[in-house]
PDB file of all heavy atoms in Angstrom:
ATOM      1  N   PRO A  31      23.099 -14.563  13.222  1.00  0.00           N
ATOM      2  CA  PRO A  31      22.098 -13.869  14.042  1.00  0.00           C
ATOM      3  C   PRO A  31      21.135 -13.020  13.209  1.00  0.00           C
ATOM      4  O   PRO A  31      21.404 -12.703  12.051  1.00  0.00           O
ATOM      5  CB  PRO A  31      22.955 -12.976  14.933  1.00  0.00           C
ATOM      6  CG  PRO A  31      24.161 -12.674  14.084  1.00  0.00           C
ATOM      7  CD  PRO A  31      24.427 -13.957  13.326  1.00  0.00           C
ATOM      8  N   TYR A  32      20.013 -12.665  13.825  1.00  0.00           N
ATOM      9  CA  TYR A  32      19.073 -11.711  13.244  1.00  0.00           C
ATOM     10  C   TYR A  32      19.331 -10.352  13.874  1.00  0.00           C
ATOM     11  O   TYR A  32      19.510 -10.238  15.086  1.00  0.00           O
ATOM     12  CB  TYR A  32      17.626 -12.134  13.503  1.00  0.00           C
ATOM     13  CG  TYR A  32      17.094 -13.147  12.509  1.00  0.00           C
ATOM     14  CD1 TYR A  32      17.496 -14.475  12.567  1.00  0.00           C
ATOM     15  CD2 TYR A  32      16.196 -12.772  11.522  1.00  0.00           C
ATOM     16  CE1 TYR A  32      17.018 -15.406  11.656  1.00  0.00           C
ATOM     17  CE2 TYR A  32      15.706 -13.697  10.605  1.00  0.00           C
ATOM     18  CZ  TYR A  32      16.119 -15.010  10.677  1.00  0.00           C
ATOM     19  OH  TYR A  32      15.637 -15.919   9.780  1.00  0.00           O
ATOM     20  N   VAL A  33      19.366  -9.334  13.048  1.00  0.00           N
ATOM     21  CA  VAL A  33      19.597  -7.960  13.495  1.00  0.00           C
ATOM     22  C   VAL A  33      18.269  -7.213  13.464  1.00  0.00           C
ATOM     23  O   VAL A  33      17.441  -7.442  12.573  1.00  0.00           O
ATOM     24  CB  VAL A  33      20.621  -7.249  12.590  1.00  0.00           C
ATOM     25  CG1 VAL A  33      20.907  -5.841  13.090  1.00  0.00           C
ATOM     26  CG2 VAL A  33      21.900  -8.062  12.491  1.00  0.00           C
ATOM     27  N   LYS A  34      18.060  -6.336  14.446  1.00  0.00           N
ATOM     28  CA  LYS A  34      16.841  -5.519  14.473  1.00  0.00           C
ATOM     29  C   LYS A  34      17.216  -4.042  14.495  1.00  0.00           C
ATOM     30  O   LYS A  34      18.071  -3.616  15.271  1.00  0.00           O
ATOM     31  CB  LYS A  34      15.990  -5.862  15.697  1.00  0.00           C
ATOM     32  CG  LYS A  34      15.401  -7.261  15.655  1.00  0.00           C
ATOM     33  CD  LYS A  34      14.427  -7.492  16.808  1.00  0.00           C
ATOM     34  CE  LYS A  34      13.798  -8.877  16.702  1.00  0.00           C
ATOM     35  NZ  LYS A  34      12.805  -9.125  17.782  1.00  0.00           N
ATOM     36  N   ASN A  35      16.585  -3.273  13.618  1.00  0.00           N
ATOM     37  CA  ASN A  35      16.775  -1.817  13.570  1.00  0.00           C
ATOM     38  C   ASN A  35      15.422  -1.131  13.576  1.00  0.00           C
ATOM     39  O   ASN A  35      14.420  -1.707  13.146  1.00  0.00           O
ATOM     40  CB  ASN A  35      17.511  -1.394  12.291  1.00  0.00           C
ATOM     41  CG  ASN A  35      18.894  -1.994  12.156  1.00  0.00           C
ATOM     42  OD1 ASN A  35      19.263  -2.435  11.084  1.00  0.00           O
ATOM     43  ND2 ASN A  35      19.676  -2.029  13.225  1.00  0.00           N
ATOM     44  N   GLN A  36      15.389   0.092  14.044  1.00  0.00           N
ATOM     45  CA  GLN A  36      14.186   0.904  13.939  1.00  0.00           C
ATOM     46  C   GLN A  36      14.575   2.377  13.916  1.00  0.00           C
ATOM     47  O   GLN A  36      15.677   2.755  14.318  1.00  0.00           O
ATOM     48  CB  GLN A  36      13.221   0.646  15.093  1.00  0.00           C
ATOM     49  CG  GLN A  36      13.739   1.066  16.460  1.00  0.00           C
ATOM     50  CD  GLN A  36      12.705   0.810  17.543  1.00  0.00           C
ATOM     51  OE1 GLN A  36      11.929  -0.132  17.471  1.00  0.00           O
ATOM     52  NE2 GLN A  36      12.694   1.664  18.551  1.00  0.00           N
ATOM     53  N   GLY A  37      13.671   3.217  13.424  1.00  0.00           N
ATOM     54  CA  GLY A  37      13.938   4.646  13.366  1.00  0.00           C
ATOM     55  C   GLY A  37      12.744   5.379  12.773  1.00  0.00           C
ATOM     56  O   GLY A  37      11.726   4.766  12.438  1.00  0.00           O
ATOM     57  N   ARG A  38      12.874   6.678  12.656  1.00  0.00           N
ATOM     58  CA  ARG A  38      11.794   7.498  12.118  1.00  0.00           C
ATOM     59  C   ARG A  38      12.022   7.786  10.644  1.00  0.00           C
ATOM     60  O   ARG A  38      13.141   8.021  10.202  1.00  0.00           O
ATOM     61  CB  ARG A  38      11.674   8.833  12.873  1.00  0.00           C
ATOM     62  CG  ARG A  38      11.048   8.711  14.245  1.00  0.00           C
ATOM     63  CD  ARG A  38      10.695  10.074  14.827  1.00  0.00           C
ATOM     64  NE  ARG A  38       9.705  10.765  14.005  1.00  0.00           N
ATOM     65  CZ  ARG A  38       8.388  10.575  14.107  1.00  0.00           C
ATOM     66  NH1 ARG A  38       7.903   9.708  14.959  1.00  0.00           N
ATOM     67  NH2 ARG A  38       7.566  11.257  13.334  1.00  0.00           N
ATOM     68  N   VAL A  39      10.917   7.761   9.897  1.00  0.00           N
ATOM     69  CA  VAL A  39      10.977   8.097   8.474  1.00  0.00           C
ATOM     70  C   VAL A  39       9.559   8.385   7.989  1.00  0.00           C
ATOM     71  O   VAL A  39       8.596   7.790   8.485  1.00  0.00           O
ATOM     72  CB  VAL A  39      11.606   6.941   7.657  1.00  0.00           C
ATOM     73  CG1 VAL A  39      10.707   5.720   7.635  1.00  0.00           C
ATOM     74  CG2 VAL A  39      11.929   7.390   6.239  1.00  0.00           C
ATOM     75  N   PHE A  40       9.412   9.309   7.065  1.00  0.00           N
ATOM     76  CA  PHE A  40       8.117   9.636   6.450  1.00  0.00           C
ATOM     77  C   PHE A  40       7.056  10.003   7.500  1.00  0.00           C
ATOM     78  O   PHE A  40       5.868   9.725   7.323  1.00  0.00           O
ATOM     79  CB  PHE A  40       7.587   8.478   5.600  1.00  0.00           C
ATOM     80  CG  PHE A  40       8.553   7.894   4.625  1.00  0.00           C
ATOM     81  CD1 PHE A  40       8.470   6.566   4.256  1.00  0.00           C
ATOM     82  CD2 PHE A  40       9.576   8.672   4.074  1.00  0.00           C
ATOM     83  CE1 PHE A  40       9.366   6.014   3.343  1.00  0.00           C
ATOM     84  CE2 PHE A  40      10.478   8.135   3.170  1.00  0.00           C
ATOM     85  CZ  PHE A  40      10.373   6.805   2.811  1.00  0.00           C
ATOM     86  N   GLY A  41       7.465  10.597   8.613  1.00  0.00           N
ATOM     87  CA  GLY A  41       6.501  10.993   9.645  1.00  0.00           C
ATOM     88  C   GLY A  41       5.997   9.832  10.476  1.00  0.00           C
ATOM     89  O   GLY A  41       5.032   9.969  11.236  1.00  0.00           O
ATOM     90  N   THR A  42       6.633   8.665  10.372  1.00  0.00           N
ATOM     91  CA  THR A  42       6.237   7.491  11.147  1.00  0.00           C
ATOM     92  C   THR A  42       7.513   6.733  11.520  1.00  0.00           C
ATOM     93  O   THR A  42       8.598   7.307  11.558  1.00  0.00           O
ATOM     94  CB  THR A  42       5.254   6.610  10.353  1.00  0.00           C
ATOM     95  OG1 THR A  42       4.817   5.516  11.176  1.00  0.00           O
ATOM     96  CG2 THR A  42       5.867   6.072   9.080  1.00  0.00           C
TER      97      THR A  42
END
Side-chain angles (χ1 to χ4, degrees):
Y32 276 75
V33 182
K34 293 187 177 182
N35 299 137
Q36 66 178 33
R38 285 192 62 85
V39 68
F40 311 151
T42 184

